[in-house]
Amino acid sequence: MITVKNLYHSYTNDQAYAVKGISFEISKGEVFGFLGPSGAGKSTTQGILTGLLPLQKGDVEVAGYDMHHRKRDMFNKIGVSFEQSNVYNKLSAIENLEFYKKLFDVNTVDPMKLLELVGLDKVAHKKAGTFSKGMKHRLTFVRSMLNNPELWFLDEPTTGLDPAIARQIIEIVKQKKAEGTTVFLTTHNMNIADELCDRVAFIIDGDIKLIDSPRNLKLQFGEKLVVVDHIVNDQKIQDKFSLINKEDLDKLNTIIQTGRIEMMHTKEATLEEIFIKVTGRGLE
Amino acid sequence: MRKFLAVISRDIKSGTRDWLIIYLSVAALLIALILRALIPGVSNSAMNVVFVEGTDSNLIAHVESHATVGVVSDEAALRERILRMDDVLGVLVEGEQYKIIKQGNEVMPMEETLKFVLNTYKGQSIDLPIQVAFSDIGWEISPLKLEGGSLLIIFTTVFGGMLIVLNLVEEKMSNTLSAINVSPISRTVFILGKGALGFTIPIIGSIGSVLILGFAGINYGMFIISVICIALISIIIGFSIGVVNNEPISAIASMKMVFLPVLASIFGAMFLADKWHFILYWSPFYWAYDSIHAILLNEATWQQVLVNCGIIIGLTGLVFLALRKRIAHGLR
């Protein structure tokens, strides 16, 4: 669905590249997470893939369209949800969606159903200018679903939302994933990426450090640990034991045979820990 | 076409919820109404006379050569006409006598002038307390009406440009241009849709203005073509200002800078001697004034209108070439 080869981009039209020769491919139906801290090149890459930024150097194919000669009708297949909500404040929620609906040449979803999906149906006829930040964000999000896109670009879809609404958004993305929609997810929220993505790419300083599935990354870079809460001399103690280190395994066996165990569970490395391990940088 | 209409309909919907846009849409008509109210005062320099039906037609023809003459059905209608805001004198013929009926607040010399005209019809001469001489200085209509109308019509197109500025600023403020750029509407259709109101409002406003100002007998074909040509330049300037401003006050302030060449061109054309007009040839608003002025006087020819439109379009093309990159960049 997306093929990127040796993509470079400079905002100053010189050698100061914001994106430095990155390459990747995304298959149809895949949810691909593009992870990195602010200024890593995520938005630049998404900008090029969505045609908001010009393709300067490299080859990019999106939904079957060569981005060197992109055509407007490609946007009938694509949906883009922006990080910053961008709606017409003087129009109501339903008027916003109905305006964009008229711009598509393909079958579109009933705007009221989309508003129901994110709980905005009760304020459908209120001006978007009176909405809270979260409501505007939800309106921006569902607008990107109007044309039932085959390829869906989501830029920080849950940033700034309260946990309940963020969960609602995640469930919608999961539903679209189940329906076969390809998703390009740009985020610095590793938990969401872990939950939603088939594969993730770690990008930092305009360069992709690695691409793999969250599971493979955890297996490759995460240390397998067992965390045990047990009682020693009437005192509650928590210990971590490596499942690879023989000394740790012996200690764990001793506790299992002789100790008073209250809780015991395995602990995987998080994507965030792996990101820091791979890139040497945090995500904020 | 559907997408083009969607953009226009969105702008209209949004515009009707913005007082500044509503005001700009009707500003030309409001100014025309104000001008209309002022015109009778200025028309005092012309003499208006009303007769009753059945009055000697030779007498009416004689007075008509010196004044604007109206005929009403009876004395009651004549009295009603005199009581209106403008200065009109009524003449009733009673036997061999003329009875002049006036409201009482007319400019003094008018009554004396009318007496003089009526007596000259009878071959009599009278001693007037003022010197009365008749000459034709070429004014067929009030200068305020003509010059004010020309200025207003050209400004109507600037108001159209301002509408575009405000609509684009709204897009910039809410960053909705990004959403438009990832939708399947071509940039050309979007620009045409955004520009449509910049043509429509000036056309409606200027036709409304000429009707309010009493220029109903003009050639509307010439008039509409001229207004569309003038609107082009205002729209291009409107786009160039709208796409680089993120808030309406600074955008309107920038648009006000356009007033300078507009006013300089029009007042230059009004007050400069013909031999100095060449210094205004660079301004499309000069050519616009030249066309509109002639159209309002019913003196314009198609050749003059088309040549002026060609010059305006040529100059607009140069302005567009200069601003093209700025507009394209701002729309990204």
Side-chain angles (χ1 to χ4, degrees):
Chain A
M1 196 55 124
I2 296 177
T3 307
V4 175
K5 285 180 188 161
N6 293 317
L7 177 65
Y8 287 85
H9 190 85
S10 167
Y11 286 100
T12 46
N13 282 318
D14 55 17
Q15 301 295 310
Y17 290 113
V19 171
K20 301 169 186 166
I22 62 171
S23 301
F24 58 89
E25 283 190 13
I26 302 173
S27 312
K28 190 169 169 53
E30 187 178 12
V31 178
F32 187 82
F34 214 53
L35 315 182
S38 301
K42 304 188 300 285
S43 296
T44 305
T45 306
Q46 178 163 319
I48 296 164
L49 298 184
T50 54
L52 286 173
L53 289 173
L55 173 54
Q56 296 172 341
K57 193 175 169 188
D59 294 310
V60 176
E61 193 181 294
V62 175
Y65 291 89
D66 179 354
M67 295 301 282
H68 281 295
H69 314 285
R70 68 188 172 87
K71 290 177 181 161
R72 275 278 153 189
D73 65 351
M74 72 180 268
F75 294 109
N76 283 313
K77 294 183 178 180
I78 291 173
V80 182
S81 177
F82 295 87
E83 180 182 6
Q84 302 292 333
S85 53
N86 49 359
V87 295
Y88 291 112
N89 288 326
K90 288 183 212 153
L91 301 190
S92 67
I94 194 86
E95 285 169 344
N96 262 282
L97 296 188
E98 279 178 346
F99 165 63
Y100 283 97
K101 179 183 158 87
K102 288 175 193 156
L103 304 184
F104 290 104
D105 308 304
V106 291
N107 287 336
T108 47
V109 184
D110 177 6
M112 192 51 94
K113 282 190 178 159
L114 288 175
L115 292 176
E116 279 169 20
L117 204 60
V118 288
L120 290 177
D121 50 318
K122 289 181 179 64
V123 290
H125 298 284
K126 276 196 170 179
K127 280 187 197 169
T130 64
F131 284 6
S132 67
K133 194 178 165 191
M135 289 160 87
K136 283 184 183 176
H137 192 86
R138 278 182 277 166
L139 184 56
T140 304
F141 177 77
V142 289
R143 185 183 65 204
S144 68
M145 298 170 70
L146 265 170
N147 55 330
N148 219 349
E150 289 174 33
L151 174 58
W152 199 12
F153 288 92
L154 300 177
D155 192 356
E156 305 286 0
T158 57
T159 299
L161 297 181
D162 68 58
I165 297 167
R167 175 50 49 193
Q168 209 176 0
I169 299 284
I170 290 167
E171 293 307 321
I172 293 169
V173 178
K174 278 184 176 174
Q175 174 62 34
K176 297 304 285 181
K177 177 185 177 181
E179 290 170 14
T181 304
T182 310
V183 181
F184 185 90
L185 172 69
T186 306
T187 184
H188 63 259
N189 186 325
M190 293 291 174
N191 294 329
I192 289 172
D194 198 0
E195 185 172 354
L196 290 174
C197 295
D198 297 310
R199 284 190 306 149
V200 293
F202 288 168
I203 182 167
I204 196 155
D205 296 334
D207 194 18
I208 291 180
K209 296 296 179 189
L210 60 79
I211 301 176
D212 212 331
S213 68
R215 177 183 159 76
N216 286 349
L217 289 174
K218 284 173 192 170
L219 288 173
Q220 189 180 347
F221 294 98
E223 194 177 1
K224 293 163 194 153
L225 294 172
V226 172
V227 181
V228 183
D229 289 336
H230 60 115
I231 309 291
V232 179
N233 298 329
D234 294 331
Q235 280 193 318
K236 196 194 297 182
I237 292 174
Q238 187 180 71
D239 282 317
K240 287 179 189 170
F241 300 102
S242 167
L243 293 174
I244 300 163
N245 184 308
K246 189 174 181 311
E247 197 179 327
D248 274 13
L249 279 174
D250 290 343
K251 282 181 188 170
L252 179 61
N253 272 331
T254 308
I255 290 170
I256 290 169
Q257 285 164 18
T258 62
R260 291 162 57 198
I261 295 172
E262 286 199 327
M263 277 201 300
M264 186 166 79
H265 54 92
T266 56
K267 182 182 178 300
E268 296 168 331
T270 63
L271 269 184
E272 186 158 1
E273 286 166 345
I274 297 169
F275 186 92
I276 293 166
K277 197 168 182 177
V278 171
T279 65
R281 300 259 290 270
L283 278 166
E284 296 305 325
Chain B
M1 195 61 178
R2 175 173 42 87
K3 296 175 188 178
F4 171 72
L5 291 175
V7 175
I8 296 175
S9 134
R10 193 221 73 83
D11 281 356
I12 292 173
K13 207 174 276 181
S14 184
T16 55
R17 293 164 193 180
D18 185 320
W19 284 110
L20 192 51
I21 290 180
I22 292 172
Y23 169 70
L24 281 175
S25 305
V26 298
L29 302 177
L30 292 176
I31 296 169
L33 284 170
I34 293 168
L35 266 180
R36 183 77 185 85
L38 293 174
I39 287 168
V42 176
S43 299
N44 288 343
S45 56
M47 186 162 64
N48 300 300
V49 182
V50 187
F51 289 95
V52 173
E53 271 177 16
T55 307
D56 174 10
S57 57
N58 290 330
L59 171 64
I60 292 177
H62 173 73
V63 175
E64 226 164 18
S65 63
H66 297 91
T68 304
V69 173
V71 179
V72 295
S73 57
D74 53 26
E75 189 178 334
L78 182 134
R79 288 181 186 280
E80 187 276 326
R81 176 66 190 87
I82 289 164
L83 286 173
R84 286 191 210 162
M85 265 186 79
D86 52 345
D87 283 359
V88 176
L89 299 171
V91 178
L92 288 174
V93 182
E94 295 177 343
E96 293 295 309
Q97 299 293 311
Y98 300 124
K99 189 175 174 186
I100 296 177
I101 301 174
K102 57 180 188 173
Q103 196 174 356
N105 59 355
E106 291 83 357
V107 175
M108 177 65 179
M110 287 303 167
E111 185 189 353
E112 300 302 328
T113 308
L114 180 57
K115 279 182 192 169
F116 180 79
V117 171
L118 292 171
N119 280 308
T120 55
Y121 177 66
K122 291 194 132 193
Q124 296 172 358
S125 64
I126 56 166
D127 291 328
L128 289 173
I130 54 162
Q131 183 75 32
V132 175
F134 297 100
S135 64
D136 184 356
I137 57 167
W139 289 113
E140 292 178 8
I141 49 178
S142 144
L144 177 66
K145 183 172 157 179
L146 178 65
E147 303 302 348
S150 304
L151 186 66
L152 175 61
I153 287 155
I154 293 168
F155 260 95
T156 310
T157 66
V158 178
F159 293 151
M162 282 180 161
L163 281 183
I164 290 174
V165 167
L166 290 173
N167 277 322
L168 283 171
V169 166
E170 185 199 358
E171 300 267 2
K172 295 284 283 184
M173 276 171 75
S174 51
N175 195 26
T176 40
L177 278 178
S178 302
I180 290 291
N181 283 333
V182 293
S183 71
I185 182 172
S186 72
R187 189 163 290 172
T188 310
V189 173
F190 179 70
I191 290 172
L192 288 175
K194 281 277 165 199
L197 281 185
F199 285 112
T200 317
I201 296 294
I203 289 173
I204 295 172
S206 56
I207 290 179
S209 299
V210 296
L211 292 176
I212 291 170
L213 291 172
F215 287 109
I218 60 168
N219 183 323
Y220 286 97
M222 290 181 183
F223 183 72
I224 290 172
I225 285 176
S226 298
V227 170
I228 289 173
C229 289
I230 311 162
L232 257 181
I233 186 103
S234 298
I235 286 169
I236 286 170
I237 293 170
F239 266 103
S240 72
I241 292 172
V243 295
V244 293
N245 279 284
N246 289 323
E247 53 99 15
I249 302 301
S250 66
I252 289 291
S254 304
M255 194 68 191
K256 278 187 192 165
M257 292 303 290
V258 180
F259 289 7
L260 193 65
V262 174
L263 292 172
S265 308
I266 295 173
F267 285 114
M270 278 183 203
F271 298 116
L272 284 177
D274 283 356
K275 65 176 182 180
W276 293 110
H277 277 206
F278 72 91
I279 60 173
L280 300 168
Y281 286 176
W282 59 271
S283 168
F285 298 109
Y286 165 80
W287 299 103
Y289 171 79
D290 189 54
S291 285
I292 295 295
H293 192 263
I295 291 169
L296 293 184
L297 279 173
N298 270 325
E299 288 175 356
T301 61
W302 274 108
Q303 189 188 4
Q304 180 192 7
V305 167
L306 293 176
V307 166
N308 283 3
C309 281
I311 294 170
I312 293 169
I313 290 170
L315 291 169
T316 305
L318 293 176
V319 173
F320 177 71
L321 283 178
L323 298 174
R324 188 169 49 103
K325 279 189 178 171
R326 177 182 156 120
I327 294 172
H329 181 75
L331 285 172
R332 270 188 213 132

